[in-house]
Amino acid sequence: MPIGMLDTRMTTSGQTVQRALAAASSLASPPLVVSHQAVRDPKSISQGPSRGARSLAATASSSRSAPTDHGLIMEREPLRLAPGEPLWVFGYGSIVWKVGFDFDERVICAARGYRRRFYQGSTDHRGTPEFPGRTVTLETCDADVNPPCWGAAYRVPPERAEEVLEILEVREKQYDKRIRLDLYDDNGDVVVRDAVTYIATGASENLNWLGEASIEEVAETIATAVGPSGANSEYLLNLADAMRGIGVHDPHLDELERRVREIKENRTGE
């Protein structure tokens, strides 16, 4: 299939998905990293569930169907790239600290009009259908009032674009939207155009949506949930470390990290 039109429609079998599953599960670090360095403080930008965590799970289940694990890859429109055009991927969650695909350039940048929130339920990586974890998505917000969401964009050369997109479609299979967006530096200039990223929404087709909750409820879930990829808290702590590693200050992420550490320390002392 030509790179000019990468068909990523839903499929559950075949060599393409098998290759992507193998690659997504290994999440090997890329062999080549060329970073655009930027240091900033973007202020302009095994224990059972606790009572609070059990209450949260019950609340989520009562408002809509409980999140469920599934083998489906969300159906999406084909992604069209011009011949010879590279694929840019914006990472704002686990991709920042565990890329999982080959790339030849990384740019620290931000998405305007979005903020990072732990609204997506995870039943395949950081939780289970019985007790879903929480992973990040991008929530739209007023760009004139709210700071942008910082992360990293990865350039995939044209000859690897199809392969990497297949990996991402499986890795992000529980996220219901793939979007393209422009990314900015700390001067407000566009540094990457039409980057691809995956987000979760409250749409009915998203079987894993948990949605908004208090910082305390989110922290209780993250401190408790464990899935096939490990503890939900590990996901949060790795992300917080990765953000600090690229010079990013995210108050919401920092507060969640602080509260999760407190919860886990209190449980250890019980």
Side-chain angles (χ1 to χ4, degrees), residues 52 55-57 59-60 117-120 134 139 209-221 252 256:
S55 174
L56 176 60
T59 300
R117 291 294 185 267
F118 284 76
Y119 289 172
Q120 176 72 341
R134 279 183 177 264
E139 179 186 48
W209 183 250
L210 287 176
E212 186 175 1
S214 69
I215 196 91
E216 186 66 27
E217 290 173 328
V218 173
E220 282 278 359
T221 295
H252 180 73
L256 263 178

Side-chain angles (χ1 to χ4, degrees), residues 39-89:
V39 178
R40 65 184 60 76
D41 180 8
K43 294 177 181 176
S44 61
I45 54 168
S46 312
Q47 179 166 303
S50 67
R51 180 181 300 175
R54 289 196 299 269
S55 174
L56 176 60
T59 300
S61 299
S62 63
S63 60
R64 59 183 289 169
S65 296
T68 178
D69 197 10
H70 55 82
L72 300 178
I73 300 173
M74 288 289 184
E75 187 170 6
R76 313 182 202 278
E77 291 296 319
L79 180 66
R80 294 172 174 83
L81 295 175
E85 180 185 358
L87 172 69
W88 281 94
V89 179

Side-chain angles (χ1 to χ4, degrees), residues 116-139:
R116 190 177 3 246
R117 291 294 185 267
F118 284 76
Y119 289 172
Q120 176 72 341
S122 176
T123 60
D124 62 339
H125 285 299
R126 299 292 175 171
T128 64
E130 294 73 30
F131 196 89
R134 279 183 177 264
T135 54
V136 289
T137 184
L138 294 181
E139 179 186 48

